[in-house]
Amino acid sequence: MDSATSDRAALQATADNGLKIVVVGGFGVGKTTMVRSVSEIRPLNTEETMTRAGEAVDHLDGVQSKTSTTVAFDFGRITLDARSVLYLFGAPGQERFWFLWDRLFSGTLGAVVLVDTRRLADSWYAIDRLEHHGTPFIVACNDFGGPLHTEQQIREALALSDDVPLVECDARDRSSSKYVLITLVEHLYALSRGSAGSTAARPEVAPEKTPEPTP
């Protein structure tokens, strides 16, 4: 999944297949950072400086040093080939902006749930909404230098089934963030192949004949 470089930022006229992916997660887990690290264009972001007024409504446990926050969404783009473009949307993490999520999920191919293992409970809502919408997703643990957890511990804490991919990443690193997106695309491809296989294996049932009327 090689993206175009910054000198190819202009979208080619041949691109006619737009694929939408959403990056969701709790407050301060690195969603804006991930979109910024992989986007081939200067990403659109709606970050605003945090104020004392927001302290009463936003939970800052574990992110006390955070000075800005997304108030709508982040947007980035990756050109996959001459005809396919990947659009990235980063959802706001604060509870007061969760009403925007349902709109962002509309038309979404899949999602990345970005988590901070120091605050796993902050990711429950994101997973719940994705499951509610039936949106396929993977989970990526962003590296904040916290205590190490085994994969099984994280799966149990988030109630993740074994078929949901779980990866580690550093959202600041372009190659690491690209690996997360590649994992999601591969997961979506595997799901589509599975659906096609189950459909192909479904036996055909001959339609019942309507009995002839008795003279």
Side-chain angles (χ1 to χ4, degrees):
M1 192 170 105
D2 292 326
S3 65
T5 56
S6 57
D7 59 352
R8 292 177 53 198
L11 186 59
Q12 299 181 20
T14 56
D16 56 9
N17 188 21
L19 309 173
K20 179 181 177 182
I21 285 178
V22 175
V23 182
V24 295
F27 182 43
V29 296
K31 300 178 296 296
T32 297
T33 300
M34 174 169 282
V35 172
R36 184 181 294 150
S37 70
V38 296
S39 177
E40 70 188 26
I41 62 172
R42 181 178 180 180
L44 167 69
N45 63 65
T46 56
E47 280 199 311
E48 295 293 340
T49 301
M50 297 179 64
T51 64
R52 289 188 178 278
E55 294 180 1
V57 291
D58 294 327
H59 302 292
L60 301 181
D61 294 341
V63 288
Q64 290 88 345
S65 61
K66 190 170 174 60
T67 59
S68 62
T69 184
T70 299
V71 297
F73 61 86
D74 305 304
F75 173 77
R77 191 190 77 200
I78 300 175
T79 299
L80 301 178
D81 54 41
R83 307 194 68 86
S84 300
V85 179
L86 186 66
Y87 296 114
L88 300 175
F89 289 83
Q94 307 98 304
E95 184 175 350
R96 56 192 167 117
F97 295 124
W98 284 351
F99 70 93
L100 295 170
W101 287 22
D102 288 346
R103 291 294 183 90
L104 285 177
F105 291 164
S106 177
T108 297
L109 187 66
V112 173
V113 178
L114 198 59
V115 305
D116 177 352
T117 54
R118 301 170 302 174
R119 300 178 289 125
L120 286 172
D122 292 354
S123 305
W124 291 344
Y125 182 79
I127 293 173
D128 177 74
R129 296 314 298 168
L130 289 169
E131 291 178 341
H132 172 77
H133 284 272
T135 303
F137 66 92
I138 69 167
V139 173
C141 297
N142 197 10
D143 181 15
F144 283 94
L148 296 178
H149 300 277
T150 66
E151 177 177 333
Q152 188 59 33
Q153 288 173 330
I154 296 173
R155 286 190 178 277
E156 290 178 357
L158 297 177
L160 289 181
S161 60
D162 292 337
D163 60 341
V164 176
L166 175 64
V167 298
E168 296 181 356
C169 74
D170 183 343
R172 301 166 298 179
D173 182 74
R174 179 179 176 82
S175 61
S176 181
S177 295
K178 284 176 63 176
Y179 172 72
V180 172
L181 298 180
I182 290 171
T183 302
L184 174 59
V185 171
E186 290 177 342
H187 179 54
L188 296 174
Y189 179 71
L191 290 176
S192 67
R193 294 275 299 194
S195 298
S198 61
T199 301
R202 188 179 302 153
E204 294 186 3
V205 179
E208 295 184 3
K209 294 184 178 181
T210 303
E212 295 291 336
T214 303

